[in-house]
Amino acid sequence: MNGLGRRAFVRNLSFAFAAQAISLLLSALTTLLLPRFLGVEAYGYWQLFLFYASYVGFFHFGLNDGVYLKFGGTPYRDMDKRSIGAQFRFGMAFQSIIALGAALVCLKLTPDGARRFVWIATAVYMLLFNATLYLGYVFQAANETRLYSISVIIDKCFFMAAIAALLLSGARDFQTYVVLYLAAKAVSLGYCLVRGREIVFAPRMRAADAAAESLASIRIGANLMLANIASMLILGIGRFFIDRAWGIEAFARFSLSLQLTSFFLQFISQVSIVLFPALRRLETDRQKEFFGLAGDALGLILPAVLLLYAPARVVLGLWLPRYQESLAGMALLLPICLFDGKMQMLYSTFFKVLRRERALLAVNLASMLLSALLAVIGVHILKNLHFVILSMVASVAFRSLVSEVYLSRLMRRKVGLNAAAEVGLAAGFMLLSWYLPPWHAFFAYGALYAVFLWCGRGRARRVAAALRAAPGPG
């Protein structure tokens, strides 16, 4: 990577981290304030909306992903804006039909007023989110990640201001928060439309040609889109079963545990967005070198996140006394950060860089089916909520380990005992944190982590030497 490319990478990464820092602050506000000021039931419906909203990406059917893969690494000035604009309009047309149909069906079949509101709001959100994501993917493919990051900043700042106003005014109904959440996404979309106006208002193409190009992109992106949906369902299936088996209040408490766990992963996802176009420009040997060094670094650094559990549980226990069960459940969920962190930042990125979307889909589908099978056992046979939670962690770990083995073999790298050591460390954390008082578990896990670092000192030296020789991924 030359000097200009390195500066662009650092600039994009800086904007991505700024966007995620604001997103993290917003997540902290919604996670810490809304459960306290909303009732458990109202907070449950808020989380149910966020849960449904997380799957609206399915309804572009891979169009966004196809454009992303097709144009990844192409400078913005060289992109075929007429084709991209035609596909944008085609995608919004068929998604509008889907949203309208879903809203009409919901009005007829859903008697519960709160759940009906959630479904209709999700249909509206689908249009706003997928349109924003389409243009955001175009920006990312062109290595203009900062534009997408700015749209995220606008979205989150708008909603943060709205939350502050609502809490000061004493608003307690979750519907108002959902409406302003939609408004924030609409403002973000407005920014993307302005910055991508050369695409949005590009010369029109015949409807048949636009449909043909869109279908071609869908064929390219379908595997990646399905892989992403399957990835989300690894945890989503368990959440669905918890809602159905134990009700909206149990769903609310579990969702809080998952929300707290996901804080760190938000940063990881932004790093992967910046890495994809940068890695596409590297030679194969450099890609392999980066894969090995990044895997070593993440394997050593990510377990440190688990040290945050004890202080977080103590502080949050004072702030959210009604959610003690949620905070205890974090002990079982937090190891997701180790395995999903590596998956998001490294493995998923390399599946896309190497154009192995079908392999990524197969891995995610296998993990999703494992999660579903274990969740059914936990709900219908064992009737144990904690088993369902453990099944999610096991499925995420399974996906990470299979991906590591597959990609390492593809790059002719050996898979050593490091993965087994990381699994053992995660299991040790869960046992210590579940059975010991928080601070006792903190020091016990700290000692275990210190032993893990000492055993991995050779990896640490390799990573440090590489950073001194060539900072950044290239």
Side-chain angles (χ1 to χ4, degrees), residues 209-256:
D209 293 336
E213 298 239 357
S214 299
L215 292 173
S217 292
I218 288 173
R219 281 193 292 272
I220 293 172
N223 287 324
L224 180 56
M225 182 273 297
L226 291 173
N228 290 336
I229 295 296
S231 172
M232 296 167 66
L233 283 171
I234 295 171
L235 299 178
I237 286 174
R239 294 183 72 185
F240 174 81
F241 276 114
I242 289 170
D243 177 36
R244 294 299 176 185
W246 288 284
I248 194 68
E249 293 194 4
F251 180 84
R253 291 188 170 91
F254 171 74
S255 295
L256 178 62

mmCIF file of all heavy atoms in Angstrom, residues 209-256:
data_model
loop_
_atom_site.group_PDB
_atom_site.id
_atom_site.type_symbol
_atom_site.label_atom_id
_atom_site.label_comp_id
_atom_site.label_asym_id
_atom_site.label_seq_id
_atom_site.Cartn_x
_atom_site.Cartn_y
_atom_site.Cartn_z
ATOM 1 N N ASP A 209 -33.651 -3.185 -18.954
ATOM 2 C CA ASP A 209 -32.201 -3.228 -18.726
ATOM 3 C C ASP A 209 -31.879 -3.065 -17.239
ATOM 4 O O ASP A 209 -30.974 -3.732 -16.708
ATOM 5 C CB ASP A 209 -31.518 -2.119 -19.533
ATOM 6 C CG ASP A 209 -31.623 -2.361 -21.034
ATOM 7 O OD1 ASP A 209 -31.799 -3.533 -21.436
ATOM 8 O OD2 ASP A 209 -31.538 -1.372 -21.792
ATOM 9 N N ALA A 210 -32.621 -2.169 -16.561
ATOM 10 C CA ALA A 210 -32.403 -1.969 -15.124
ATOM 11 C C ALA A 210 -32.714 -3.250 -14.360
ATOM 12 O O ALA A 210 -31.975 -3.644 -13.437
ATOM 13 C CB ALA A 210 -33.277 -0.825 -14.614
ATOM 14 N N ALA A 211 -33.790 -3.921 -14.734
ATOM 15 C CA ALA A 211 -34.150 -5.187 -14.080
ATOM 16 C C ALA A 211 -33.083 -6.243 -14.323
ATOM 17 O O ALA A 211 -32.712 -6.992 -13.407
ATOM 18 C CB ALA A 211 -35.499 -5.661 -14.596
ATOM 19 N N ALA A 212 -32.564 -6.297 -15.556
ATOM 20 C CA ALA A 212 -31.540 -7.292 -15.889
ATOM 21 C C ALA A 212 -30.265 -7.052 -15.073
ATOM 22 O O ALA A 212 -29.668 -8.004 -14.540
ATOM 23 C CB ALA A 212 -31.240 -7.254 -17.386
ATOM 24 N N GLU A 213 -29.844 -5.795 -14.990
ATOM 25 C CA GLU A 213 -28.641 -5.478 -14.219
ATOM 26 C C GLU A 213 -28.848 -5.776 -12.733
ATOM 27 O O GLU A 213 -27.951 -6.267 -12.040
ATOM 28 C CB GLU A 213 -28.265 -4.008 -14.424
ATOM 29 C CG GLU A 213 -27.928 -3.645 -15.862
ATOM 30 C CD GLU A 213 -26.533 -3.083 -16.010
ATOM 31 O OE1 GLU A 213 -25.838 -2.922 -14.997
ATOM 32 O OE2 GLU A 213 -26.131 -2.823 -17.153
ATOM 33 N N SER A 214 -30.042 -5.457 -12.230
ATOM 34 C CA SER A 214 -30.331 -5.694 -10.817
ATOM 35 C C SER A 214 -30.335 -7.189 -10.507
ATOM 36 O O SER A 214 -29.792 -7.624 -9.488
ATOM 37 C CB SER A 214 -31.684 -5.074 -10.450
ATOM 38 O OG SER A 214 -31.672 -3.681 -10.647
ATOM 39 N N LEU A 215 -30.942 -7.972 -11.379
ATOM 40 C CA LEU A 215 -30.961 -9.413 -11.172
ATOM 41 C C LEU A 215 -29.560 -10.012 -11.223
ATOM 42 O O LEU A 215 -29.239 -10.950 -10.486
ATOM 43 C CB LEU A 215 -31.869 -10.085 -12.205
ATOM 44 C CG LEU A 215 -33.370 -9.786 -12.053
ATOM 45 C CD1 LEU A 215 -34.150 -10.363 -13.226
ATOM 46 C CD2 LEU A 215 -33.896 -10.348 -10.736
ATOM 47 N N ALA A 216 -28.715 -9.447 -12.089
ATOM 48 C CA ALA A 216 -27.324 -9.915 -12.142
ATOM 49 C C ALA A 216 -26.613 -9.616 -10.832
ATOM 50 O O ALA A 216 -25.858 -10.457 -10.308
ATOM 51 C CB ALA A 216 -26.599 -9.245 -13.312
ATOM 52 N N SER A 217 -26.842 -8.431 -10.272
ATOM 53 C CA SER A 217 -26.231 -8.080 -8.985
ATOM 54 C C SER A 217 -26.781 -8.954 -7.872
ATOM 55 O O SER A 217 -26.050 -9.360 -6.963
ATOM 56 C CB SER A 217 -26.486 -6.601 -8.665
ATOM 57 O OG SER A 217 -25.796 -5.758 -9.555
ATOM 58 N N ILE A 218 -28.088 -9.251 -7.934
ATOM 59 C CA ILE A 218 -28.688 -10.123 -6.927
ATOM 60 C C ILE A 218 -28.056 -11.505 -6.977
ATOM 61 O O ILE A 218 -27.783 -12.118 -5.930
ATOM 62 C CB ILE A 218 -30.215 -10.194 -7.126
ATOM 63 C CG1 ILE A 218 -30.864 -8.857 -6.694
ATOM 64 C CG2 ILE A 218 -30.824 -11.354 -6.358
ATOM 65 C CD1 ILE A 218 -32.334 -8.751 -7.013
ATOM 66 N N ARG A 219 -27.792 -12.009 -8.193
ATOM 67 C CA ARG A 219 -27.141 -13.322 -8.306
ATOM 68 C C ARG A 219 -25.746 -13.295 -7.680
ATOM 69 O O ARG A 219 -25.324 -14.267 -7.055
ATOM 70 C CB ARG A 219 -27.067 -13.743 -9.779
ATOM 71 C CG ARG A 219 -28.367 -14.297 -10.332
ATOM 72 C CD ARG A 219 -28.145 -14.977 -11.670
ATOM 73 N NE ARG A 219 -27.784 -14.019 -12.713
ATOM 74 C CZ ARG A 219 -28.661 -13.371 -13.463
ATOM 75 N NH1 ARG A 219 -29.968 -13.582 -13.284
ATOM 76 N NH2 ARG A 219 -28.271 -12.518 -14.385
ATOM 77 N N ILE A 220 -25.052 -12.178 -7.866
ATOM 78 C CA ILE A 220 -23.709 -12.063 -7.290
ATOM 79 C C ILE A 220 -23.789 -11.964 -5.768
ATOM 80 O O ILE A 220 -23.016 -12.583 -5.037
ATOM 81 C CB ILE A 220 -22.986 -10.820 -7.866
ATOM 82 C CG1 ILE A 220 -22.705 -11.013 -9.356
ATOM 83 C CG2 ILE A 220 -21.681 -10.559 -7.110
ATOM 84 C CD1 ILE A 220 -22.163 -9.765 -10.030
ATOM 85 N N GLY A 221 -24.738 -11.172 -5.281
ATOM 86 C CA GLY A 221 -24.775 -10.865 -3.852
ATOM 87 C C GLY A 221 -25.652 -11.761 -3.017
ATOM 88 O O GLY A 221 -25.632 -11.660 -1.778
ATOM 89 N N ALA A 222 -26.430 -12.637 -3.640
ATOM 90 C CA ALA A 222 -27.382 -13.457 -2.881
ATOM 91 C C ALA A 222 -26.688 -14.315 -1.835
ATOM 92 O O ALA A 222 -27.159 -14.427 -0.689
ATOM 93 C CB ALA A 222 -28.194 -14.324 -3.833
ATOM 94 N N ASN A 223 -25.563 -14.924 -2.206
ATOM 95 C CA ASN A 223 -24.863 -15.788 -1.256
ATOM 96 C C ASN A 223 -24.381 -14.999 -0.041
ATOM 97 O O ASN A 223 -24.509 -15.459 1.099
ATOM 98 C CB ASN A 223 -23.673 -16.471 -1.934
ATOM 99 C CG ASN A 223 -24.106 -17.571 -2.885
ATOM 100 O OD1 ASN A 223 -25.068 -18.279 -2.634
ATOM 101 N ND2 ASN A 223 -23.398 -17.704 -3.993
ATOM 102 N N LEU A 224 -23.838 -13.789 -0.302
ATOM 103 C CA LEU A 224 -23.354 -12.976 0.807
ATOM 104 C C LEU A 224 -24.508 -12.492 1.669
ATOM 105 O O LEU A 224 -24.424 -12.494 2.904
ATOM 106 C CB LEU A 224 -22.547 -11.791 0.269
ATOM 107 C CG LEU A 224 -21.965 -10.838 1.321
ATOM 108 C CD1 LEU A 224 -21.090 -11.606 2.304
ATOM 109 C CD2 LEU A 224 -21.168 -9.723 0.646
ATOM 110 N N MET A 225 -25.618 -12.088 1.024
ATOM 111 C CA MET A 225 -26.782 -11.637 1.787
ATOM 112 C C MET A 225 -27.335 -12.764 2.651
ATOM 113 O O MET A 225 -27.610 -12.585 3.842
ATOM 114 C CB MET A 225 -27.848 -11.120 0.823
ATOM 115 C CG MET A 225 -29.110 -10.566 1.488
ATOM 116 S SD MET A 225 -30.353 -11.836 1.827
ATOM 117 C CE MET A 225 -30.755 -12.376 0.166
ATOM 118 N N LEU A 226 -27.476 -13.960 2.069
ATOM 119 C CA LEU A 226 -27.965 -15.097 2.837
ATOM 120 C C LEU A 226 -26.996 -15.462 3.962
ATOM 121 O O LEU A 226 -27.411 -15.855 5.051
ATOM 122 C CB LEU A 226 -28.188 -16.291 1.910
ATOM 123 C CG LEU A 226 -29.349 -16.152 0.918
ATOM 124 C CD1 LEU A 226 -29.349 -17.328 -0.062
ATOM 125 C CD2 LEU A 226 -30.685 -16.082 1.659
ATOM 126 N N ALA A 227 -25.703 -15.329 3.666
ATOM 127 C CA ALA A 227 -24.700 -15.604 4.701
ATOM 128 C C ALA A 227 -24.859 -14.625 5.860
ATOM 129 O O ALA A 227 -24.760 -15.010 7.039
ATOM 130 C CB ALA A 227 -23.292 -15.512 4.110
ATOM 131 N N ASN A 228 -25.108 -13.346 5.544
ATOM 132 C CA ASN A 228 -25.286 -12.344 6.595
ATOM 133 C C ASN A 228 -26.541 -12.623 7.416
ATOM 134 O O ASN A 228 -26.538 -12.495 8.647
ATOM 135 C CB ASN A 228 -25.362 -10.945 5.978
ATOM 136 C CG ASN A 228 -24.034 -10.495 5.412
ATOM 137 O OD1 ASN A 228 -22.977 -10.963 5.833
ATOM 138 N ND2 ASN A 228 -24.059 -9.586 4.453
ATOM 139 N N ILE A 229 -27.635 -12.981 6.721
ATOM 140 C CA ILE A 229 -28.874 -13.289 7.433
ATOM 141 C C ILE A 229 -28.688 -14.523 8.325
ATOM 142 O O ILE A 229 -29.115 -14.553 9.486
ATOM 143 C CB ILE A 229 -30.027 -13.518 6.437
ATOM 144 C CG1 ILE A 229 -30.335 -12.221 5.673
ATOM 145 C CG2 ILE A 229 -31.270 -14.021 7.161
ATOM 146 C CD1 ILE A 229 -30.843 -11.092 6.532
ATOM 147 N N ALA A 230 -28.040 -15.553 7.779
ATOM 148 C CA ALA A 230 -27.784 -16.755 8.575
ATOM 149 C C ALA A 230 -26.924 -16.431 9.787
ATOM 150 O O ALA A 230 -27.137 -16.968 10.889
ATOM 151 C CB ALA A 230 -27.114 -17.827 7.713
ATOM 152 N N SER A 231 -25.950 -15.541 9.587
ATOM 153 C CA SER A 231 -25.092 -15.119 10.694
ATOM 154 C C SER A 231 -25.913 -14.477 11.808
ATOM 155 O O SER A 231 -25.725 -14.769 12.995
ATOM 156 C CB SER A 231 -24.034 -14.140 10.175
ATOM 157 O OG SER A 231 -23.312 -13.566 11.236
ATOM 158 N N MET A 232 -26.833 -13.604 11.421
ATOM 159 C CA MET A 232 -27.675 -12.940 12.419
ATOM 160 C C MET A 232 -28.620 -13.924 13.103
ATOM 161 O O MET A 232 -28.928 -13.794 14.287
ATOM 162 C CB MET A 232 -28.458 -11.822 11.753
ATOM 163 C CG MET A 232 -27.570 -10.709 11.203
ATOM 164 S SD MET A 232 -28.455 -9.604 10.105
ATOM 165 C CE MET A 232 -29.611 -8.863 11.242
ATOM 166 N N LEU A 233 -29.072 -14.926 12.370
ATOM 167 C CA LEU A 233 -30.015 -15.892 12.932
ATOM 168 C C LEU A 233 -29.358 -16.834 13.938
ATOM 169 O O LEU A 233 -30.060 -17.489 14.704
ATOM 170 C CB LEU A 233 -30.666 -16.705 11.810
ATOM 171 C CG LEU A 233 -31.761 -15.983 11.028
ATOM 172 C CD1 LEU A 233 -32.173 -16.806 9.812
ATOM 173 C CD2 LEU A 233 -32.967 -15.706 11.913
ATOM 174 N N ILE A 234 -28.034 -16.903 13.930
ATOM 175 C CA ILE A 234 -27.351 -17.730 14.933
ATOM 176 C C ILE A 234 -27.773 -17.285 16.333
ATOM 177 O O ILE A 234 -28.036 -18.101 17.223
ATOM 178 C CB ILE A 234 -25.829 -17.653 14.758
ATOM 179 C CG1 ILE A 234 -25.407 -18.272 13.423
ATOM 180 C CG2 ILE A 234 -25.115 -18.372 15.916
ATOM 181 C CD1 ILE A 234 -23.955 -18.050 13.079
ATOM 182 N N LEU A 235 -27.839 -15.973 16.539
ATOM 183 C CA LEU A 235 -28.345 -15.438 17.800
ATOM 184 C C LEU A 235 -29.841 -15.164 17.740
ATOM 185 O O LEU A 235 -30.545 -15.262 18.749
ATOM 186 C CB LEU A 235 -27.603 -14.147 18.163
ATOM 187 C CG LEU A 235 -26.095 -14.263 18.370
ATOM 188 C CD1 LEU A 235 -25.501 -12.900 18.686
ATOM 189 C CD2 LEU A 235 -25.790 -15.237 19.492
ATOM 190 N N GLY A 236 -30.348 -14.823 16.550
ATOM 191 C CA GLY A 236 -31.748 -14.437 16.421
ATOM 192 C C GLY A 236 -32.719 -15.559 16.707
ATOM 193 O O GLY A 236 -33.797 -15.329 17.276
ATOM 194 N N ILE A 237 -32.370 -16.781 16.329
ATOM 195 C CA ILE A 237 -33.268 -17.912 16.576
ATOM 196 C C ILE A 237 -33.495 -18.098 18.072
ATOM 197 O O ILE A 237 -34.624 -18.301 18.532
ATOM 198 C CB ILE A 237 -32.697 -19.192 15.936
ATOM 199 C CG1 ILE A 237 -32.870 -19.131 14.416
ATOM 200 C CG2 ILE A 237 -33.371 -20.430 16.500
ATOM 201 C CD1 ILE A 237 -32.205 -20.270 13.683
ATOM 202 N N GLY A 238 -32.420 -17.987 18.841
ATOM 203 C CA GLY A 238 -32.559 -18.108 20.288
ATOM 204 C C GLY A 238 -33.436 -17.015 20.861
ATOM 205 O O GLY A 238 -34.271 -17.261 21.744
ATOM 206 N N ARG A 239 -33.289 -15.782 20.360
ATOM 207 C CA ARG A 239 -34.117 -14.670 20.839
ATOM 208 C C ARG A 239 -35.587 -14.913 20.499
ATOM 209 O O ARG A 239 -36.483 -14.616 21.308
ATOM 210 C CB ARG A 239 -33.641 -13.360 20.222
ATOM 211 C CG ARG A 239 -32.251 -12.940 20.655
ATOM 212 C CD ARG A 239 -31.859 -11.601 20.058
ATOM 213 N NE ARG A 239 -32.595 -10.513 20.683
ATOM 214 C CZ ARG A 239 -32.508 -9.243 20.282
ATOM 215 N NH1 ARG A 239 -31.748 -8.943 19.241
ATOM 216 N NH2 ARG A 239 -33.194 -8.309 20.894
ATOM 217 N N PHE A 240 -35.839 -15.435 19.305
ATOM 218 C CA PHE A 240 -37.218 -15.741 18.913
ATOM 219 C C PHE A 240 -37.830 -16.773 19.861
ATOM 220 O O PHE A 240 -38.971 -16.606 20.334
ATOM 221 C CB PHE A 240 -37.228 -16.265 17.474
ATOM 222 C CG PHE A 240 -38.580 -16.739 17.014
ATOM 223 C CD1 PHE A 240 -39.537 -15.842 16.570
ATOM 224 C CD2 PHE A 240 -38.898 -18.090 17.039
ATOM 225 C CE1 PHE A 240 -40.785 -16.283 16.150
ATOM 226 C CE2 PHE A 240 -40.137 -18.545 16.619
ATOM 227 C CZ PHE A 240 -41.085 -17.630 16.178
ATOM 228 N N PHE A 241 -37.097 -17.837 20.171
ATOM 229 C CA PHE A 241 -37.609 -18.874 21.061
ATOM 230 C C PHE A 241 -37.832 -18.325 22.483
ATOM 231 O O PHE A 241 -38.790 -18.707 23.161
ATOM 232 C CB PHE A 241 -36.648 -20.059 21.109
ATOM 233 C CG PHE A 241 -36.848 -21.035 19.984
ATOM 234 C CD1 PHE A 241 -35.875 -21.219 19.017
ATOM 235 C CD2 PHE A 241 -38.016 -21.774 19.900
ATOM 236 C CE1 PHE A 241 -36.061 -22.120 17.979
ATOM 237 C CE2 PHE A 241 -38.214 -22.682 18.866
ATOM 238 C CZ PHE A 241 -37.232 -22.856 17.902
ATOM 239 N N ILE A 242 -36.931 -17.445 22.916
ATOM 240 C CA ILE A 242 -37.094 -16.872 24.255
ATOM 241 C C ILE A 242 -38.368 -16.040 24.338
ATOM 242 O O ILE A 242 -39.126 -16.119 25.319
ATOM 243 C CB ILE A 242 -35.852 -16.030 24.620
ATOM 244 C CG1 ILE A 242 -34.659 -16.955 24.878
ATOM 245 C CG2 ILE A 242 -36.114 -15.148 25.847
ATOM 246 C CD1 ILE A 242 -33.338 -16.233 25.011
ATOM 247 N N ASP A 243 -38.639 -15.245 23.295
ATOM 248 C CA ASP A 243 -39.868 -14.451 23.266
ATOM 249 C C ASP A 243 -41.099 -15.354 23.301
ATOM 250 O O ASP A 243 -42.061 -15.101 24.042
ATOM 251 C CB ASP A 243 -39.869 -13.571 22.008
ATOM 252 C CG ASP A 243 -41.146 -12.754 21.863
ATOM 253 O OD1 ASP A 243 -41.692 -12.305 22.891
ATOM 254 O OD2 ASP A 243 -41.603 -12.560 20.712
ATOM 255 N N ARG A 244 -41.090 -16.417 22.494
ATOM 256 C CA ARG A 244 -42.261 -17.294 22.409
ATOM 257 C C ARG A 244 -42.436 -18.165 23.655
ATOM 258 O O ARG A 244 -43.559 -18.425 24.085
ATOM 259 C CB ARG A 244 -42.132 -18.197 21.172
ATOM 260 C CG ARG A 244 -42.197 -17.439 19.856
ATOM 261 C CD ARG A 244 -43.511 -16.721 19.701
ATOM 262 N NE ARG A 244 -43.557 -15.906 18.493
ATOM 263 C CZ ARG A 244 -44.554 -15.107 18.172
ATOM 264 N NH1 ARG A 244 -45.585 -15.004 18.981
ATOM 265 N NH2 ARG A 244 -44.530 -14.400 17.068
ATOM 266 N N ALA A 245 -41.343 -18.629 24.238
ATOM 267 C CA ALA A 245 -41.439 -19.575 25.350
ATOM 268 C C ALA A 245 -41.575 -18.895 26.708
ATOM 269 O O ALA A 245 -42.294 -19.389 27.588
ATOM 270 C CB ALA A 245 -40.219 -20.497 25.363
ATOM 271 N N TRP A 246 -40.884 -17.766 26.895
ATOM 272 C CA TRP A 246 -40.864 -17.142 28.215
ATOM 273 C C TRP A 246 -41.479 -15.738 28.250
ATOM 274 O O TRP A 246 -41.520 -15.118 29.306
ATOM 275 C CB TRP A 246 -39.431 -17.099 28.743
ATOM 276 C CG TRP A 246 -38.939 -18.460 29.152
ATOM 277 C CD1 TRP A 246 -39.275 -19.141 30.278
ATOM 278 C CD2 TRP A 246 -38.028 -19.299 28.442
ATOM 279 N NE1 TRP A 246 -38.635 -20.354 30.311
ATOM 280 C CE2 TRP A 246 -37.853 -20.486 29.199
ATOM 281 C CE3 TRP A 246 -37.332 -19.185 27.236
ATOM 282 C CZ2 TRP A 246 -37.031 -21.539 28.801
ATOM 283 C CZ3 TRP A 246 -36.517 -20.218 26.829
ATOM 284 C CH2 TRP A 246 -36.365 -21.384 27.611
ATOM 285 N N GLY A 247 -41.924 -15.199 27.093
ATOM 286 C CA GLY A 247 -42.663 -13.945 27.100
ATOM 287 C C GLY A 247 -41.808 -12.713 26.893
ATOM 288 O O GLY A 247 -40.573 -12.761 26.847
ATOM 289 N N ILE A 248 -42.494 -11.578 26.779
ATOM 290 C CA ILE A 248 -41.836 -10.321 26.408
ATOM 291 C C ILE A 248 -40.898 -9.817 27.500
ATOM 292 O O ILE A 248 -39.880 -9.191 27.210
ATOM 293 C CB ILE A 248 -42.891 -9.241 26.052
ATOM 294 C CG1 ILE A 248 -42.246 -8.048 25.334
ATOM 295 C CG2 ILE A 248 -43.659 -8.782 27.289
ATOM 296 C CD1 ILE A 248 -41.727 -8.367 23.970
ATOM 297 N N GLU A 249 -41.204 -10.094 28.776
ATOM 298 C CA GLU A 249 -40.331 -9.599 29.841
ATOM 299 C C GLU A 249 -39.011 -10.372 29.881
ATOM 300 O O GLU A 249 -37.941 -9.783 30.074
ATOM 301 C CB GLU A 249 -41.048 -9.662 31.192
ATOM 302 C CG GLU A 249 -42.223 -8.680 31.273
ATOM 303 C CD GLU A 249 -42.723 -8.482 32.694
ATOM 304 O OE1 GLU A 249 -42.105 -9.054 33.636
ATOM 305 O OE2 GLU A 249 -43.721 -7.760 32.861
ATOM 306 N N ALA A 250 -39.065 -11.683 29.701
ATOM 307 C CA ALA A 250 -37.823 -12.463 29.616
ATOM 308 C C ALA A 250 -37.028 -12.041 28.387
ATOM 309 O O ALA A 250 -35.791 -11.956 28.423
ATOM 310 C CB ALA A 250 -38.136 -13.955 29.558
ATOM 311 N N PHE A 251 -37.742 -11.763 27.288
ATOM 312 C CA PHE A 251 -37.082 -11.282 26.075
ATOM 313 C C PHE A 251 -36.372 -9.963 26.350
ATOM 314 O O PHE A 251 -35.248 -9.736 25.888
ATOM 315 C CB PHE A 251 -38.122 -11.104 24.968
ATOM 316 C CG PHE A 251 -37.564 -10.599 23.662
ATOM 317 C CD1 PHE A 251 -37.011 -11.470 22.746
ATOM 318 C CD2 PHE A 251 -37.580 -9.243 23.360
ATOM 319 C CE1 PHE A 251 -36.491 -11.010 21.539
ATOM 320 C CE2 PHE A 251 -37.062 -8.777 22.163
ATOM 321 C CZ PHE A 251 -36.520 -9.667 21.260
ATOM 322 N N ALA A 252 -37.028 -9.070 27.117
ATOM 323 C CA ALA A 252 -36.423 -7.777 27.442
ATOM 324 C C ALA A 252 -35.141 -7.958 28.243
ATOM 325 O O ALA A 252 -34.114 -7.320 27.967
ATOM 326 C CB ALA A 252 -37.412 -6.919 28.224
ATOM 327 N N ARG A 253 -35.188 -8.838 29.239
ATOM 328 C CA ARG A 253 -34.004 -9.028 30.097
ATOM 329 C C ARG A 253 -32.855 -9.673 29.326
ATOM 330 O O ARG A 253 -31.690 -9.284 29.482
ATOM 331 C CB ARG A 253 -34.393 -9.867 31.320
ATOM 332 C CG ARG A 253 -35.314 -9.126 32.279
ATOM 333 C CD ARG A 253 -35.527 -9.893 33.585
ATOM 334 N NE ARG A 253 -36.219 -9.056 34.551
ATOM 335 C CZ ARG A 253 -37.541 -8.995 34.686
ATOM 336 N NH1 ARG A 253 -38.320 -9.764 33.911
ATOM 337 N NH2 ARG A 253 -38.095 -8.201 35.574
ATOM 338 N N PHE A 254 -33.172 -10.665 28.493
ATOM 339 C CA PHE A 254 -32.112 -11.278 27.703
ATOM 340 C C PHE A 254 -31.548 -10.281 26.687
ATOM 341 O O PHE A 254 -30.335 -10.229 26.453
ATOM 342 C CB PHE A 254 -32.626 -12.521 26.976
ATOM 343 C CG PHE A 254 -31.643 -13.060 25.976
ATOM 344 C CD1 PHE A 254 -30.524 -13.737 26.402
ATOM 345 C CD2 PHE A 254 -31.816 -12.840 24.616
ATOM 346 C CE1 PHE A 254 -29.598 -14.215 25.497
ATOM 347 C CE2 PHE A 254 -30.897 -13.308 23.711
ATOM 348 C CZ PHE A 254 -29.783 -14.003 24.150
ATOM 349 N N SER A 255 -32.420 -9.488 26.064
ATOM 350 C CA SER A 255 -31.970 -8.516 25.072
ATOM 351 C C SER A 255 -31.024 -7.500 25.689
ATOM 352 O O SER A 255 -30.085 -7.037 25.036
ATOM 353 C CB SER A 255 -33.169 -7.807 24.441
ATOM 354 O OG SER A 255 -33.964 -8.714 23.696
ATOM 355 N N LEU A 256 -31.270 -7.136 26.936
ATOM 356 C CA LEU A 256 -30.346 -6.221 27.610
ATOM 357 C C LEU A 256 -28.972 -6.861 27.748
ATOM 358 O O LEU A 256 -27.945 -6.213 27.496
ATOM 359 C CB LEU A 256 -30.897 -5.830 28.980
ATOM 360 C CG LEU A 256 -29.995 -4.903 29.806
ATOM 361 C CD1 LEU A 256 -29.785 -3.569 29.093
ATOM 362 C CD2 LEU A 256 -30.576 -4.676 31.193
#
